[in-house]
Amino acid sequence: MDKAIIEKLEEHQILQFLGSIEIDLPRCIVDVGGNLEAEISSPYVAKGWRSLIVDPQERCVESLRKKFSAHPNASVVQCACSNEPGELKLFIGLDGPGSEVSTLNSTSDPWMDRVRSAQFEMVTVKTLTALLEEQDFPSEIGILKIDTESWDYNVLLGLDLRKFRPKIIVTEEYYWDVQATIGKHTYLDDNDFVNVGFIGYNSIWMDRACGVRHSLSMLRDWLVAVDRYPSAVQGRGELTRLSPYLKAKSLHSSPVRFDNVLVQAEGLDAMICEQSTRLAVTVANFLHEPVGRLGAQGAPIAVSYHWLHMSGKAAVWDGIRTYLDREIGVNQMVKLDIVVRAPDRPGSYLLVVDLLEENVSWFGPRGGISASQAVVVVEAPSIPLAGAGTSFQAGRDAAPSGNRRTM
């Protein structure tokens, strides 16, 4: 499915981000929602970390036990996690057994109605606290990763953070349920976890005892921009400063890497062939130095995009450029509208929004965190498409890229 391809890109970026944080972590990882491959926890299993991978689907558990059979440090448990023990219906995703989108969520919303089937199976549900106690798991946890298709808040409510304390929590966001999103963020905030940003549809939190500043500013502003978060919800403090914990290699390798520059774009579900639309983009800079309008070689810095086929092959590599008109300071972000033009043929595509230094390189291959999302491109319909944006002719603020290709 399209979502699975996006998740692979996000998982790679999450691992890259986690690898850039220079903190001595307890060598323990808990992965709730391992699916078939447990991509986030696998590198840590290989490093010998004590690992607990949890999934309610039999096919996923069989796959994971086979994958980690040579690693006695890894335990795979078949069950679901929630705030209360018992049995619940696990709805199978439309991608079938071993589904990437199976969920305990029975409510109706545009995403669930699209990916969830009516087929379900009854599964055992435990609180995460009880499961960790059964496994005699260490109380200090390096990384807790949760990906349960809109059920993450319930999983967290079932964890006694006084008994089991992660240093880092990676949790999938589900913006269709605004109240659960607010509840989860408030819960983590109240329990002294700091939101240090997000990658795709995942937010990353760190124990405040690690020394990071408290802030929800970056997440709140982005959610307001995509109409997924009430503007009345207030964060506190400045943007989180991660600089004391980032490895020096991210600043001094050659060519210069951009591990800590993050691009996030609003949701865009569908477009019409050759349609142009504006897309709201946020660029955040967590480097030790500003990102200027010009790069180190004097070339202008722009926001642009690629259109990829779902196979990963480029359909359109060089999108329309929208050049930065201001400097992005350290631990600051800017919001801007870019112009996106759809491919000329219908189909399912991956839209990747990224920064580039003109005629030099894109930021993504140099470590930058780009924004990726699946977009369906269709022939002109008889009725407007929800989320397709407003068509217009590109203005002067957006320069076409011509035929040259920046690698």
Side-chain angles (χ1 to χ4, degrees), residues 357-378:
E357 188 174 352
E358 194 68 84
N359 295 321
V360 178
S361 72
W362 295 80
F363 277 35
R366 293 159 68 180
I369 300 173
S370 55
S372 304
Q373 55 189 296
V375 180
V376 177
V377 177
V378 299

Side-chain angles (χ1 to χ4, degrees), residues 165-389:
R165 186 78 182 180
K167 293 294 186 183
I168 298 174
I169 297 176
V170 181
T171 171
E172 187 178 51
E173 299 298 326
Y174 192 72
Y175 302 128
W176 292 108
D177 190 340
V178 174
Q179 292 306 314
T181 300
I182 295 172
K184 182 174 71 173
H185 287 255
T186 302
Y187 177 76
L188 288 170
D189 180 26
D190 289 346
N191 281 277
D192 288 330
F193 284 90
V194 180
N195 172 231
V196 297
F198 55 94
I199 296 175
Y201 289 98
N202 298 273
S203 60
I204 299 180
W205 301 75
M206 294 176 65
D207 189 337
R208 192 185 304 178
C210 294
V212 291
R213 290 188 179 183
H214 179 95
S215 172
L216 297 182
S217 299
M218 181 177 172
L219 180 67
R220 187 190 72 241
D221 289 349
W222 184 79
L223 292 174
V224 169
V226 297
D227 296 323
R228 288 284 192 273
Y229 212 49
S231 57
V233 176
Q234 297 295 316
R236 294 171 286 171
E238 301 176 5
L239 288 176
T240 301
R241 293 182 179 272
L242 284 177
S243 54
Y245 309 102
L246 296 172
K247 294 180 180 178
K249 68 176 180 60
S250 66
L251 303 173
H252 303 295
S253 58
S254 181
V256 176
R257 293 185 59 81
F258 295 103
D259 299 63
N260 310 311
V261 176
L262 182 147
V263 178
Q264 183 64 60
E266 71 175 16
L268 181 66
D269 295 326
M271 292 185 71
I272 298 168
C273 290
E274 298 186 287
Q275 173 197 24
S276 292
T277 190
R278 289 191 184 277
L279 183 66
V281 172
T282 299
V283 181
N285 174 27
F286 293 125
L287 292 170
H288 283 224
E289 57 189 29
V291 174
R293 295 172 58 247
L294 302 178
Q297 301 184 36
I301 303 295
V303 181
S304 187
Y305 55 90
H306 317 303
W307 285 105
L308 307 180
H309 294 291
M310 302 315 289
S311 64
K313 182 179 179 181
V316 177
W317 184 258
D318 280 301
I320 297 170
R321 272 43 166 174
T322 302
Y323 293 100
L324 294 184
D325 60 359
R326 75 202 84 165
E327 181 181 89
I328 308 175
V330 176
N331 293 318
Q332 293 182 2
M333 64 181 177
V334 298
K335 297 179 181 180
L336 65 161
D337 288 341
I338 71 169
V339 179
V340 174
R341 183 176 178 83
D344 58 4
R345 296 186 179 183
S348 295
Y349 294 89
L350 196 64
L351 174 63
V352 181
V353 181
D354 198 3
L355 285 171
L356 78 151
E357 188 174 352
E358 194 68 84
N359 295 321
V360 178
S361 72
W362 295 80
F363 277 35
R366 293 159 68 180
I369 300 173
S370 55
S372 304
Q373 55 189 296
V375 180
V376 177
V377 177
V378 299
E379 299 285 359
S382 57
I383 58 174
L385 281 171

Side-chain angles (χ1 to χ4, degrees), residues 25-30 49-51 137-138 140-144:
L25 296 175
R27 292 171 59 85
C28 303
I29 184 168
V30 178
W49 282 35
R50 174 75 184 274
S51 306
F137 209 79
E140 293 188 358
I141 300 169
I143 300 170
L144 168 62

Side-chain angles (χ1 to χ4, degrees), residues 50 131-138 164:
R50 174 75 184 274
L131 185 58
L132 292 170
E133 289 175 341
E134 289 176 8
Q135 295 291 317
D136 195 23
F137 209 79
F164 297 98

